[in-house]
Amino acid sequence: MNSEVRTQQSGVLCLGEALVDVVMRDGKSSEHVGGSPLNVACVMSQLGHDATIGAWWGQDERGAAIEKQAADNGVHVAAGSDGAERTSVAFAQLDAEGRATYDFDLLWSLPELDGLDRIQHLHTGSIAATLEPGGSKVVEAVEQARGSATISYDPNIRPSLMESPDRVMARVEQLVALSDVVKVSDEDLEWLFPGTPVEDIMRRWSTMGPALVVVTRGPWGAYARLANNRDMLVIDQMSVKLADTVGAGDSFMGGLLSGLLDAGLLGSREAAGHLAVAGWNEVQPALHRAVITSGLTVSRAGAHAPTREEIAEAILQDPSLGD
């Protein structure tokens, strides 16, 4: 597939930052295209879904690198996404274990979006949902799309930009309430709700609107909670040799959404109704796909977007991953 500029949306629309990561490790730096929503779009496209990124970058060398990344992964580009004065940069510092901390030089808004009533699923989150002026435009797009599409959200907290929980909590929970699926890390929840047990926050959010809330826990796997089920599911992580954690959560999100779309549990308001009454047997295959895509990503440097062939090979090597 080739990337193309779109004025009318279809399939999966990912709204949010697409930028360049300047990765620093052991005194050396390298540049890679990144941004959580773009990473999710790349994963979904590599898994065979029709994915579009709606973002805000400049018509400069780094912007051209973003467009190449989208094209190489078969991701379409929403018209006007190259309207920024310059392309945003995230500075990622990797520690000895490959874990990243970030600082940013950001410009954020959204282009005018046509055809929101024709998309199947909208995914958003991260910086894009809280940083103005684009954040309010993201909420407007979610509210408009939600009449016909399903919605997913990943807060993907960035403390250096979001400053304090009080500053962003209202927006975070506004989007939680508008979403059918929420994925969040335990580190994000500790920042938002210091000292509060993860299980308590999952119960709180499950009463606000989403049918499925998933909390990723790094090497300890993930917790999942269905709003219609009193029991929480524990999902083991895939055992791999860690290269770095860049894009791990985004890959988990892409794999999860891909599995839910394939199961008919996302993609329309009718599908949202199916998810609202689904049991664990229907949801578990998507959770397993998320674990595998995330594991494959952290086993390679950078935000690698796995393919279905790589997933099949991983299951062939370890059949328990497909159970």
Side-chain angles (χ1 to χ4, degrees), residues 17-21 32-36 38-39 66 69 303:
E17 70 273 11
L19 42 73
V20 169
D21 289 322
H32 310 272
V33 173
S36 177
L38 176 60
N39 291 340
I66 292 172
Q69 177 86 344

Side-chain angles (χ1 to χ4, degrees), residues 51-129:
T52 298
I53 179 68
W56 196 242
W57 61 76
Q59 298 180 23
D60 51 28
E61 185 175 347
R62 285 170 167 160
I66 292 172
E67 291 169 8
K68 183 178 186 302
Q69 177 86 344
D72 288 348
N73 284 278
V75 174
H76 309 294
V77 173
S81 292
D82 61 352
E85 293 180 7
R86 66 180 186 278
T87 298
S88 296
V89 178
F91 299 93
Q93 180 70 52
L94 299 183
D95 65 17
E97 296 181 344
R99 303 185 189 280
T101 55
Y102 292 89
D103 199 5
F104 298 89
D105 174 20
L106 273 186
L107 294 176
W108 173 240
S109 188
L110 265 186
E112 294 297 321
L113 296 168
D114 297 321
L116 287 171
D117 58 338
R118 292 188 291 277
I119 65 170
Q120 295 172 308
H121 183 81
L122 187 151
H123 171 72
T124 192
S126 194
I127 302 158

Side-chain angles (χ1 to χ4, degrees), residues 227-271:
N228 70 359
N229 194 307
R230 62 185 296 177
D231 297 323
M232 185 180 70
L233 188 68
V234 179
I235 307 106
D236 292 331
Q237 187 54 280
M238 182 178 170
S239 179
V240 296
K241 183 177 180 181
L242 178 67
D244 63 46
T245 63
V246 175
D250 304 327
S251 188
F252 187 103
M253 185 91 242
L256 176 63
L257 297 179
S258 170
L260 293 172
L261 283 162
D262 283 357
L265 299 175
L266 289 178
S268 66
R269 293 319 303 169
E270 181 182 4

